[in-house]
């Protein structure tokens, strides 16, 4: 099961999906959202990758791993 | 009824601060506190709105804090518990301390400069700190492309004290797979 977390005012919105046919709809929705938020300037990071691997920036939905955190677009404060 | 009575009612309503709920006198007190209903003006429905908003805000921050704690390395978690902030290594940029506030909260440990980079969408403070950590560690170019910088002269005594305290502590290894301890926080 893969988890996509999008940071927002409630803390984060969570979308879970996997490669099975049963969650095809959830996966399509997650992919559409992932593409949309990244095109709006958000940045995604693979986190909690296990086996000693450090976090990593990711832009391709097909390469998502167990958990992904999406940071909204950042601006100078 | 006086001709100006409606206007006077309106004025009485406007002159009452909406953000300040009317306080009721404690039981047994001899005070002459008047509730809004007593003088004919209905109380504005701000009490429950404020409480609901505050409860939502607390819940969001609690959720964000839980996520942040899960994402930090053991050393960063220890720094957060000890100092209320934590340090990150930005590749090629040095070591930065992320402070628990919303503006100019990224502190360069070597130079003392303060950086400000916020998410465009509102997020709880702990989510902002997590966003800054992820960007500094894995996409520092994006962070510094937009961040505003203030020179070290603007750093206050707290920042200077933190700088001394955190620089004294031995360098700790960054999170590598979280093999130790952190899984128990999930």
């Amino acid at each position: 099961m893969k988890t996509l977390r999008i940071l927002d005012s409630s803390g984060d919105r969570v979308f879970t999906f996997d490669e099975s046919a049963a969650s095809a709809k959830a996966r399509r929705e997650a992919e559409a959202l992932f593409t949309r938020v990244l095109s709006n300037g958000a940045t995604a990071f693979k986190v909690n990758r296990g086996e000693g691997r450090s976090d990593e920036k990711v832009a391709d939905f097909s390469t998502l791993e167990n958990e992904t955190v999406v940071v909204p677009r950042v601006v100078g404060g | 009824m006086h001709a100006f009575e409606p206007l006077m009612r309106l004025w009485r309503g406007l002159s009452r601060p909406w953000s300040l709920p009317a306080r009721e006198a404690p039981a047994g007190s001899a005070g002459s506190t008047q509730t809004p209903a007593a003088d004919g003006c209905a109380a504005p429905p701000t009490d429950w709105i404020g409480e609901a908003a505050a409860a939502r805000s607390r819940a969001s921050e609690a959720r964000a804090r839980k996520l942040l704690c899960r994402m930090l390395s053991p050393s960063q978690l220890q720094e957060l518990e000890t100092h209320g902030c934590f340090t990150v290594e930005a590749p090629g940029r040095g070591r930065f301390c992320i402070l628990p506030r919303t503006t100019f909260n990224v502190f360069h440990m070597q130079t003392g400069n303060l950086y400000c980079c916020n998410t465009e969408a509102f997020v709880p403070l702990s989510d902002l700190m997590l966003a800054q950590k992820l960007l500094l560690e894995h996409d520092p170019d994006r962070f510094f492309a937009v961040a505003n910088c203030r020179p070290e002269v603007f750093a206050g005594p707290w920042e200077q004290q933190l700088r001394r305290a955190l620089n004294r502590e031995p360098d700790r290894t960054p999170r590598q797979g979280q093999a130790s301890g952190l899984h128990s926080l999930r």
Side-chain angles (χ1 to χ4, degrees):
Chain A
M1 187 66 80
K2 296 178 180 179
T3 305
L4 183 65
R5 292 181 185 277
I6 300 181
L7 304 187
D8 68 6
S9 61
S10 70
D12 58 273
R13 273 181 295 160
V14 182
F15 301 86
T16 54
F17 56 94
D18 58 26
E19 301 303 324
S20 70
S23 74
K25 187 179 174 217
R27 191 170 60 249
R28 275 199 307 274
E29 286 174 357
E31 182 169 9
L33 187 63
F34 182 82
T35 308
R36 184 154 56 87
V37 293
L38 259 62
S39 66
N40 285 334
T43 315
F45 298 93
K46 293 190 251 189
V47 298
N48 284 331
R49 302 177 68 202
E51 299 171 4
R53 293 178 299 171
S54 66
D55 301 340
E56 189 179 278
K57 185 181 167 186
V58 59
D60 184 2
F61 185 81
S62 64
T63 62
L64 296 191
E65 294 174 3
N66 289 343
E67 190 169 5
T68 307
V69 172
V70 178
V71 173
R73 191 161 88 96
V74 288
V75 293
Chain B
M1 184 200 251
H2 193 277
F4 293 114
E5 183 61 24
L7 278 177
M8 288 165 72
R9 273 192 196 167
L10 178 64
W11 171 249
R12 279 200 296 268
L14 289 176
S15 63
R16 180 173 296 112
W18 284 69
S19 57
L20 295 175
R23 291 184 183 176
E24 290 182 10
S29 72
S32 61
T33 308
Q34 210 175 16
T35 59
D39 64 356
C41 295
T46 51
D47 287 6
W48 63 269
I49 292 175
E51 286 165 14
R56 266 200 309 274
S57 178
R58 278 195 300 273
S60 305
E61 177 54 35
R63 182 177 171 83
R65 176 53 65 112
K66 199 173 164 187
L67 179 65
L68 173 67
C69 290
R70 201 159 61 78
M71 295 293 147
L72 294 180
S73 69
S75 61
Q76 288 171 331
L77 195 56
Q78 191 183 337
E79 286 174 344
L80 186 66
E81 286 167 358
T82 310
H83 303 288
C85 59
F86 58 90
T87 58
V88 299
E89 281 289 334
R93 305 276 190 162
R95 191 168 173 227
F96 293 84
C97 179
I98 299 179
L99 304 171
R101 64 184 186 218
T102 54
T103 53
F104 287 97
N105 69 320
V106 176
F107 182 59
H108 192 198
M109 301 295 286
Q110 281 80 33
T111 64
N113 290 345
L114 290 163
Y115 292 86
C116 191
C117 174
N118 288 343
T119 55
E120 199 172 52
F122 171 78
V123 295
L125 178 60
S126 294
D127 272 352
L128 174 64
M129 294 169 79
L130 172 61
Q132 291 167 332
K133 164 195 152 62
L134 290 171
L135 285 166
L136 281 167
E137 287 180 340
H138 305 291
D139 195 8
D141 290 344
R142 179 175 288 244
F143 180 92
F144 290 104
V146 298
N148 284 323
C149 178
R150 275 183 176 175
E152 63 170 324
V153 289
F154 287 96
W158 186 50
E159 287 90 341
Q160 300 299 348
Q161 192 182 347
L162 276 173
R163 189 179 177 186
R164 283 193 295 273
L166 289 167
N167 277 332
R168 270 201 301 273
E169 291 177 6
D171 279 345
R172 300 181 179 113
T173 53
R175 182 164 67 104
Q176 293 292 329
Q178 297 192 345
S180 62
L182 270 188
H183 289 287
S184 61
L185 290 167
R186 290 178 189 176

